[in-house]
Amino acid sequence: MVRGLWQQVEQRDPFPVPDPDPADPTCDVCAALVVQRAECYRLRDLSGVVDRNVEIRRHPHTEVSR
């Protein structure tokens, strides 16, 4: 079968995993990261979006024992 030079390519979702929600909604750091992520989306800075998502996933939320 002879194919043409230009073939249709299946389009993929650039973000197959949904954006994470902060583990602790009252955390100021997570809230700031969510705001920064929204700004990255506005600027179409997809690398920045991914960076903020990684930071949100990795931000520790530990209980302080007394």
Side-chain angles (χ1 to χ4, degrees):
M1 175 179 196
V2 177
R3 295 186 181 212
L5 180 62
W6 301 102
Q7 297 176 18
Q8 187 137 12
V9 177
E10 178 185 350
Q11 297 295 316
R12 297 183 189 162
D13 184 3
F15 294 105
V17 178
D19 289 340
D21 291 325
D24 180 4
T26 62
C27 175
D28 293 337
V29 173
C30 288
L33 289 170
V34 169
V35 170
Q36 291 172 10
R37 179 177 63 194
E39 181 67 8
C40 289
Y41 268 123
R42 190 184 72 74
L43 297 172
R44 298 181 189 260
D45 176 12
L46 300 183
S47 176
V49 170
V50 171
D51 291 344
R52 297 313 165 273
N53 284 342
V54 168
E55 289 185 66
I56 290 170
R57 284 190 185 98
R58 291 186 176 177
H59 182 71
H61 294 102
T62 57
E63 295 282 329
V64 177
S65 302
R66 291 182 185 201

